[in-house]
Amino acid sequence: MSRIFSRWLPGLLLTAALPVLAQDQTQAETPEYGPELQGFEYPYTVKHFAFESQGKSLQMGYMDIAAQGKVNGRSVVLMHGKNFCGATWDSSIKALSEAGYRVIAPDQIGFCTSSKPDHYQYSFQQLATNTQQLLKALGIQKATLLGHSTGGMLATRYALQYPDQVEQLALVNPIGLEDWKALGVPYLTVDQWYERELKVTAQGIHDYQRSTYYDGRWKPEFDRWVNMYAGLAKGPGKTAVAWNSALIYDMIFTQPVYYEFKDLKVPTLLLIGTSDTTAINKNIAPPEVKAKIGHYDVLGKQVAKLIPRSTLIEFPGMGHAPQMEEPAKFHQALLGWLNQTNTVP
């Protein structure tokens, strides 16, 4: 049995063993949240940044947390992943704030507490521009970026687009360490993604994340984040949520940053849980393609060689979100690098 298949097997067995009644009950118990995640409790006060983009009046939800303790005058901007929100950075916000950093955690347009426009041309350049406008409005001229998953692709694009406004770049299990379309992964149209997103359930999210993100493991505290995603997809704005999600998946698949890692000019940290197997559309890829994608234990090392000023920190046996799996271990590594890099001219 191949390595990939052995990692997927626990999730497949779990799904097969679940009675239909149990799945229906889980779906019935899932909370429903508004189209901008109304009803879900964030760890800190959510503010909204209003701006114009592509002829539309939009608002971006964000948290702005002041530095605590020995204030160092620096700011960190947190960029969430596709199935995550600013709220999922809760432990990182606390750790960074207590270490003296001002922390900004936005929800990108199309996600979580932010607008879900009916028509929007999604690109990482556009999301980077939106974020830069937010930071400018907050008076932040230069910041450290911390991007997770899809947020890692966005943080990379931001650092390429605004190199003079980025002090340091830290990427946590970023997707896009390989170009799936170039490797033979099938393309789904936006309409196909939309149909898939309309069928999202809490059980499906749980099973996918358990098998792909956490190498078959699960912790009770992860349930909150499953409900956050599922409640948004089940709520009164579900069609708008699904449509924006479909557009975002198309952006992720068709706009790789892989070929530009070599052009990054800022000190860059790769924080990699080596058991992660995330790869867009892996489930519909041919067996020979599926077997060669999503190997973060290999990808982290490969991409570290492409980035000129890179540092690689691996978390053996950890999955897609080491900052959530083992917060203390993760933040010790992150803060150690941030402080060390800050002392280098």
Side-chain angles (χ1 to χ4, degrees):
M1 180 177 291
S2 72
R3 182 181 184 188
I4 286 291
F5 285 123
S6 67
R7 285 185 171 181
W8 270 86
L9 189 55
L12 292 173
L13 289 175
L14 176 67
T15 304
L18 281 170
V20 175
L21 179 62
Q23 294 188 33
D24 290 344
Q25 183 178 359
T26 300
Q27 179 68 358
E29 293 173 352
T30 303
E32 294 186 16
Y33 299 123
E36 294 181 1
L37 209 48
Q38 293 93 336
F40 183 84
E41 185 177 356
Y42 264 50
Y44 302 90
T45 300
V46 176
K47 303 175 183 179
H48 286 89
F49 170 60
F51 66 106
E52 296 289 324
S53 176
Q54 300 183 19
K56 297 182 180 296
S57 297
L58 303 175
Q59 60 175 7
M60 184 188 300
Y62 69 96
M63 293 176 286
D64 183 356
I65 300 88
Q68 306 294 322
K70 187 178 180 181
V71 178
N72 60 24
R74 297 177 181 270
S75 298
V76 179
V77 180
L78 308 182
M79 297 182 171
H80 61 78
K82 169 65 181 67
N83 299 332
F84 302 82
C85 293
T88 54
W89 285 113
D90 58 348
S91 63
S92 296
I93 293 172
K94 184 175 186 295
L96 288 163
S97 175
E98 290 178 349
Y101 292 89
R102 178 184 180 182
V103 183
I104 312 298
D107 285 333
Q108 296 299 325
I109 295 300
F111 294 86
C112 311
T113 64
S114 295
S115 298
K116 314 291 186 304
D118 52 358
H119 293 92
Y120 201 65
Q121 180 63 50
Y122 278 100
S123 68
F124 286 112
Q125 286 89 340
Q126 179 68 71
L127 297 184
T129 300
N130 297 346
T131 306
Q132 194 269 349
Q133 290 181 34
L134 167 65
L135 298 184
K136 184 177 180 180
L138 296 176
I140 298 174
Q141 298 178 348
K142 204 165 188 176
T144 291
L145 306 182
L146 177 60
H148 171 233
S149 191
T150 299
M153 293 182 77
L154 174 57
T156 299
R157 176 57 59 201
Y158 192 106
L160 291 165
Q161 197 163 322
Y162 304 107
D164 295 336
Q165 298 177 30
V166 178
E167 288 185 321
Q168 302 153 299
L169 175 65
L171 308 175
V172 187
N173 281 74
I175 61 173
L177 298 183
E178 54 192 343
D179 181 357
W180 306 294
K181 58 182 173 55
L183 294 171
V185 177
Y187 172 75
L188 289 181
T189 67
V190 171
D191 291 325
Q192 288 173 318
W193 273 117
Y194 177 61
E195 290 302 318
R196 286 179 58 161
E197 289 299 284
L198 286 174
K199 299 174 183 177
V200 163
T201 66
Q203 189 64 57
I205 295 167
H206 174 280
D207 293 347
Y208 171 76
Q209 294 188 359
R210 183 177 187 268
S211 63
T212 305
Y213 289 179
Y214 304 115
D215 202 23
R217 300 182 299 273
W218 194 258
K219 292 183 178 181
E221 53 263 39
F222 299 158
D223 290 337
R224 168 171 163 79
W225 310 123
V226 170
N227 285 333
M228 175 190 71
Y229 179 15
L232 185 64
K234 183 185 176 185
K238 61 185 178 183
T239 56
V241 169
W243 181 247
N244 278 265
S245 183
L247 294 173
I248 291 164
Y249 270 122
D250 188 75
M251 173 188 72
I252 295 169
F253 190 81
T254 62
Q255 299 179 26
V257 296
Y258 172 78
Y259 304 102
E260 295 167 88
F261 283 126
K262 62 180 175 54
D263 300 322
L264 286 170
K265 302 184 185 303
V266 299
T268 302
L269 174 65
L270 287 164
L271 295 145
I272 303 294
T274 61
S275 291
D276 189 5
T277 61
T278 304
I280 298 294
N281 285 349
K282 181 172 68 175
N283 62 313
I284 62 172
E288 66 276 12
V289 175
K290 185 183 296 186
K292 67 182 181 182
I293 60 176
H295 295 277
Y296 275 74
D297 54 341
V298 176
L299 293 171
K301 296 180 180 68
Q302 290 178 344
V303 171
K305 293 178 181 178
L306 299 176
I307 300 173
R309 302 170 65 188
S310 70
T311 300
L312 172 65
I313 297 178
E314 294 182 316
F315 300 97
M318 293 173 63
H320 189 60
Q323 78 278 20
M324 296 160 68
E325 265 196 285
E326 298 290 345
K329 185 180 297 185
F330 173 85
H331 294 123
Q332 181 180 13
L334 172 65
L335 290 169
W337 180 81
L338 290 177
N339 294 335
Q340 180 183 20
T341 310
N342 283 341
T343 63
V344 178

